[in-house]
Structure formats: C-alpha cells, structure tokens
Amino acid sequence: MGISTTTHAGGVAEIVVDAPPVNALTVRGWYDLADALLAAGRDQKVGAVVLRAEGRGFNAGVDIKEMQNTEGHTALVGANRGCYAAFAAVYECEVPVVAAVNGFCLGGGIGLVGNADIIVAAEDAYFGLPEVDRGALGAATHLARLVPQHLMRAMVYTCRNVTAEELHRHGSVLEVVPAADLRAKAFEVAENIAAKDPYVIRRAKESLNGIDPIDVKRSYRYEQGFTFELNLVGAGDAHRDAFVRKEGR
C-alpha cells in the first residue's frame, strides 16, 4: 500500500497510488508521490509516466481524519505543503505525465490531473472540488485547466461534480474508455510518447510549461492562503469536524 513505481520496457514508468479505502493521502503520502514523480522524470530510461490508482477511485484529496486527529496545525500545514509539492511534481516531471482516472477524482485529485499532460478516464470517472463544503479552498487553479471559466466557478461555489464524458467534450480528457480498458489505454498513449526522441520530448514538455499563461504554482499558493484564513477564523475546523462526524456514522 502507498505509492509504488514500476519502470516497464519501452520507457514507461507506472506510478500507482494505493491508499485504501479512498486514496485520500496523508501528509507523508503527498510527499512520497511528489518524490516518485520527480524521480521518474530524472530517470533517463523513462520517456513518459502513467499515474493511476488502485481501488474505487483515483483520489479523494487529503486525509481529513489525520488532520483532525493531529494536535495543532502541523497536519494542516503539512497537507497544504504536501499537496503543493505533489501538484508541482506532476507539472515539473521532466517527461509527460498521463493520468489514468477511475471513479472519483476529488479535491487534491483535481490538482494532480489538472497539472497532468494528458488525461484518460474510465466511463465511471467523475471530477469535483468539494472544498467549500470542507471549509477550505484550492485547486481552482487546476480545475480551470479542465473546464471553462464559468463552469469552474459554478463547480467551486456549488461543489458540483462533472463526468469524464463532460470533460471529454471540453477537450481536457483525451479519451473515455470502459474501466477494464483504462490501464491499457493509458499505456497506449504513454508508449506512443516514449517511443519518440527522448531529448525532443523532454524539451517539448519544458517549452510547453514555459509558455503557459498561468503560473500554476504561484496561483495555487495564492489560493492556499485563503485556506489558512478560513482555518484562523474557525470555519475550517468546523467543517472538517462535521465531515469526520458524518463519516463516523
């Protein structure tokens, strides 16, 4: 369980998140994921990365129970810094990252896929930011890379989810496939990339990051400041406590 990396013949590194029951990552989990992504990109034998998850869904965000069971603000600060590191690692991984999304992709999951180079999704996949209902903010930076501006705002304010098929219509999900075919489709895309000149592909990623109109790291860090404000005024704790109570019933 946790984060594992396997480098396959053909130059594809497969990074798998397996953190039952819902792949909500602890502080350590976010940092481990960041380390795995950056290490895969530094490996000169790797031409592309497939990022996927085991279990019912791709990612359910931060481990709120860890946050509420930890005295003081250590876990809150750690989760924010860990998410920042993991999202940045997807973006800064030296080779393209193909996210293979199954089931739910929520909260921190949006930060991961929003910074990925390519997304393929299972037919059962859905995407959302429940942050407002958790007394937090963040990853609208990454959601804005997936959906148009007004839909992004509606999703933030209402915590509405969208399906993989909706994102496919917007062009942010490359392909939607049956769940049983998801891993194979992700590998098909990644192997296509890895078969190309590795030096050219690495420069292509570097150049595409360089022409991005939004600095995703700075933009996300700005959002995180409001999460800290919400915590200072008590809204964060109140909503997280309510979530933990509801989960316990």
Side-chain angles (χ1 to χ4, degrees), residues 143-144 147-158 160:
L143 183 60
V147 299
Q149 181 70 206
H150 285 85
L151 178 54
M152 179 273 287
R153 287 173 178 260
M155 290 176 68
V156 170
Y157 298 148
T158 68
R160 165 188 169 177

Side-chain angles (χ1 to χ4, degrees), residues 62 64 68 106-107 128-138 153-161 227 230 234-247:
V62 302
I64 292 177
Q68 295 311 95
L106 302 170
L129 276 184
E131 266 48 13
V132 164
D133 285 345
R134 304 287 184 265
L137 293 167
R153 287 173 178 260
M155 290 176 68
V156 170
Y157 298 148
T158 68
C159 301
R160 165 188 169 177
N161 297 327
T227 293
L230 291 170
D237 258 335
H239 284 280
R240 291 193 301 271
D241 282 341
F243 173 81
V244 171
R245 287 196 300 271
K246 181 180 177 182
E247 288 290 294

Side-chain angles (χ1 to χ4, degrees), residues 86-174:
F87 302 169
V90 176
Y91 192 75
E92 293 175 343
C93 179
E94 294 178 28
V95 298
V97 176
V98 179
V101 181
N102 65 302
F104 46 80
C105 179
L106 302 170
I110 295 293
L112 297 174
V113 302
N115 270 358
D117 295 275
I118 296 172
I119 306 165
V120 294
E123 292 170 337
D124 68 347
Y126 61 94
F127 304 73
L129 276 184
E131 266 48 13
V132 164
D133 285 345
R134 304 287 184 265
L137 293 167
T141 293
H142 312 92
L143 183 60
R145 297 163 70 84
L146 302 175
V147 299
Q149 181 70 206
H150 285 85
L151 178 54
M152 179 273 287
R153 287 173 178 260
M155 290 176 68
V156 170
Y157 298 148
T158 68
C159 301
R160 165 188 169 177
N161 297 327
V162 296
T163 65
E165 188 55 47
E166 287 178 88
L167 292 191
H168 179 59
R169 291 199 296 270
H170 290 302
S172 46
V173 166
L174 180 67

Side-chain angles (χ1 to χ4, degrees), residues 5 7 19-20 28 32 35 39 49 53 56 86 125 131 158-159 184-185 196 209 216 223 229 239 247:
T5 303
T7 302
R28 182 70 263 162
D32 287 346
D35 290 345
V49 168
R56 294 186 290 121
E131 266 48 13
T158 68
C159 301
K185 175 56 66 175
K196 299 185 183 300
N209 283 3
V216 292
E223 289 187 80
E229 178 181 329
H239 284 280
E247 288 290 294

Side-chain angles (χ1 to χ4, degrees), residues 190-214:
E191 286 168 351
N192 185 314
I193 295 168
K196 299 185 183 300
D197 184 317
Y199 187 85
V200 175
I201 286 294
R202 286 168 181 266
R203 299 295 73 77
K205 171 136 190 188
E206 186 177 3
S207 69
L208 291 174
N209 283 3
I211 64 171
D212 253 335
I214 299 294

Side-chain angles (χ1 to χ4, degrees), residues 35-118:
D35 290 345
L37 286 157
L38 293 177
R42 287 192 297 265
D43 186 345
Q44 296 302 305
K45 298 186 299 295
V46 171
V49 168
V50 169
L51 174 62
R52 67 175 191 88
E54 291 289 345
R56 294 186 290 121
F58 178 77
N59 188 277
V62 302
D63 187 338
I64 292 177
K65 291 179 181 178
E66 177 190 45
M67 199 174 292
Q68 295 311 95
N69 290 333
T70 303
E71 289 292 328
H73 297 141
T74 304
L76 174 67
V77 174
N80 275 268
R81 287 190 171 274
C83 284
Y84 179 88
F87 302 169
V90 176
Y91 192 75
E92 293 175 343
C93 179
E94 294 178 28
V95 298
V97 176
V98 179
V101 181
N102 65 302
F104 46 80
C105 179
L106 302 170
I110 295 293
L112 297 174
V113 302
N115 270 358
D117 295 275
I118 296 172

